[in-house]
Amino acid sequence: MDFRDTAAEAAFRAELRDWLTEHHPEDTPTGGRGDPESLRAWSKELYEAGYIGITWPKEYGGRGLPYTYQAIYLEETARRGARGHLGTIGLNMAGPTIIAWGSPEQQRRLLPPLLSCDEIWCQGFSEPGAGSDLGSVRTTAVAEGDHWVVNGQKVWSSFAHLADWCILVVRTDPDAAKHAGLSFLLVDMHSPGVEVRPLTQITGDPEFNEIFFTDVHVPIDSMLGKPGDGWRVAMTTLLHERGTLGFLLVAALERQIDLLVRLSRQTMPDGRRPADDPIVRDAIAREWTLLQALRFTNYRSLTTLVKTGIPGPEGSVNKLVWSEAHQRVTALALEMEGLAGQLDGGGSVWDGYWQYHRLRSRGNTIEAGTSEVLRNIIAERVVGLPRSR
Ligand SMILES: Cc1cc2nc3c(=O)[nH]c(=O)nc-3n(C[C@H](O)[C@H](O)[C@H](O)COP(=O)(O)OP(=O)(O)OC[C@H]3O[C@@H](n4cnc5c(N)ncnc54)[C@H](O)[C@@H]3O)c2cc1C
């Protein structure tokens, strides 16, 4: 694959850069994710400018462009330090799964407000007894007349406190073997019997939640696939989660390493300039070099995606390497700040930017598959080693 922009891609990149200069001129890193309403407004601005659903087929409201355009979008917005999209679970996981498995009615009803950020989605996969081992899901759905009755509990569900819809993995056949008894529902989060309890993370933000379902009635036609297809549908979601997020992750790491270089050139409150220290220069160079390797691994994933339309298992490599690199980079930034690294909020360097990311990065090696689980996937499905179980 030739990685250089074609003339049309270069024009798209230039147009996007101009748009970002006008709409996202500031480039000042500050702590925190930003309040949801300002994120929603930003997400809508992106949508109205045509930068959401770039690769989605035109019949579903997208622009029908190749994945290389999405990669350009992610590179340019990350380089500019633009904030993320509020509907990230909808865009990257629920949407592609509904496109792959949904009925035309489900697609017509659900995809337009997902793209425009009028409806937010969350992912209800994990449970207290089912995280890495999704096959152990115990939340049940029982068919009664024209609806499913859902009972159970989910946990760690990001954005559930803001969500209108949930992609929910449930057990519909308690007698079938583990994975065979699962099904995949699209659940209206405003239904009676849905209770969301935010969990405060180490960052202080309540970004993820517990969700309790008590006799929740879900219309019988709200399933993706048939009863018992839940595992296969969920795999579509997870491949997209790890695969299409690859570019976002590489671009985000590039941005963090750029900022690390910027920080190293700055004079710290104790009068030191970290870049004067050869050990710091060496550590930054090591992370930068690894980023280049990750970038090309990511291009390899992009090649699979462009050829097949489906992310390959090598997306797990990007997620694994990125998450561990991000933890090292944020730790290095705080070391560079010296004693000032212990301050957060007022008086801290860059308004607590690195403090926030250091704490948030702890979850990077857990969310979307833990590092141990990803190493198993890489060993078995990318390298072709014998199965562990
Ligand atoms: C910030 C964040 C956001 C999240 N958002 C969501 C969300 O929106 N929706 C959602 O459904 N979930 C979400 N999760 C949950 C996440 O998917 C789970 O935490 C993850 O899958 C691990 O499951 P667990 O926490 O139950 O740990 P467990 O699966 O119990 O794992 C415990 C430990 O055992 C190890 N382990 C488990 N199985 C194996 C194995 N086969 N081989 C080797 N080691 C193993 C793990 O690596 C880990 O170290 C989120 C998590 C975080 C941190």
Side-chain angles (χ1 to χ4, degrees), residues 26 57 69 72 87 131 158 219 241 290 302 333 369:
E26 83 278 17
Y69 286 78
I72 291 171
S158 306
E241 178 176 28
L290 186 113
L302 180 66

Side-chain angles (χ1 to χ4, degrees), residues 123 125-126 131-132 156-158 208 360 363 366-367 370 372 376:
Q123 178 195 16
F125 283 24
S126 305
S132 305
W156 319 128
S157 189
S158 306
F208 56 25
R360 181 61 185 81
I366 304 173
E367 59 196 324
T370 66
E372 291 76 18
N376 283 346

Side-chain angles (χ1 to χ4, degrees), residues 97 101 125 134 179 184 229-242 310 381:
T97 313
W101 288 86
F125 283 24
L134 188 59
H179 302 96
F184 198 103
D229 281 342
W231 180 257
R232 288 197 300 140
V233 183
M235 287 309 109
T236 307
T237 312
L238 293 183
L239 275 180
H240 279 278
E241 178 176 28
R242 289 169 199 158
I310 305 165
R381 297 184 45 207

Side-chain angles (χ1 to χ4, degrees), residues 6-30:
T6 61
E9 286 164 357
F12 176 82
R13 193 186 289 277
E15 188 189 294
L16 173 57
R17 279 187 183 159
D18 289 347
W19 188 85
L20 284 169
T21 303
E22 198 182 320
H23 293 261
H24 202 285
E26 83 278 17
D27 182 21
T28 323
T30 54

